[in-house]
Amino acid sequence: MTRLLTLRSAALAVALGAALTVGGALVFEHGLGYVPCKLCLTERVPYYLAAPLALIVALLPPRPARFLLGLVALVLIYGAGLGVYHAGAEWGFWPGPNDCGGGSGAGPADVADFLKNLETVRPVDCTAAAWRFLGLSLAGWNALIAAALGLFAAAAACFAQPLRGPHQPGR
């Protein structure tokens, strides 16, 4: 029985999933006006690492590709842990960070604008979910997506077929 999943296709799928996840976060931020908190921004870092590393995996020979895809899996599982921590803080299961605040927005042009902004702008709180879908906040969805991508990358690192090219005859 031949396996259809190759290391290259798995790596490209992980890179695409990571890029789409960050793209979705950026749409929420810049398109829909949701200001990310400190934890939200921290949760993006594993995707920023995973996407380019997964693209590199697609270019490597099988042994280093498996190793690097395994590292990508660990990075994404770490990202899932960040999402669980953030979602748990939102649900009040444990305290969030003490230093959580807003993560984006242009600075005021002068002191008058700054004082006016103080009246309307409230800092973003890591323990308050700004949006929920099917009972999960963005942090909860991040935990699920990062875990799924990480487990997929780990399974592919262990079990996927190396890419068969013109110099590698198939069986």
Side-chain angles (χ1 to χ4, degrees):
M1 178 174 155
T2 14
R3 292 185 223 151
L4 297 176
L5 184 67
T6 65
L7 282 170
R8 179 174 290 164
S9 63
L12 292 174
V14 169
L16 179 63
L20 288 173
T21 303
V22 168
L26 293 173
V27 166
F28 269 87
E29 179 180 351
H30 299 289
L32 301 175
Y34 287 90
V35 178
C37 70
K38 175 186 173 182
L39 279 177
C40 294
L41 295 173
T42 302
E43 287 173 64
R44 294 179 191 179
V45 172
Y47 296 105
Y48 293 146
L49 294 172
L53 288 176
L55 289 175
I56 292 169
V57 167
L59 303 174
L60 294 175
R63 183 168 288 176
R66 286 185 194 285
F67 176 77
L68 189 55
L69 194 56
L71 288 178
V72 168
L74 291 175
V75 165
L76 289 166
I77 296 299
Y78 172 76
L82 288 173
V84 168
Y85 169 68
H86 190 180
E90 290 173 342
W91 283 105
F93 296 150
W94 42 76
N98 294 331
D99 61 344
C100 197
S104 71
D110 58 27
V111 174
D113 287 341
F114 175 74
L115 293 173
K116 186 175 180 177
N117 281 348
L118 285 178
E119 296 172 6
T120 58
V121 175
R122 70 181 174 97
V124 179
D125 182 6
C126 289
T127 61
W131 182 86
R132 290 190 191 274
F133 179 68
L134 299 176
L136 290 178
S137 66
L138 291 172
W141 284 106
N142 172 63
L144 289 178
I145 293 167
L149 286 173
L151 292 173
F152 176 73
C158 293
F159 303 114
Q161 291 283 69
L163 178 67
R164 296 187 202 285
H167 60 282
Q168 296 173 327
R171 287 186 165 146

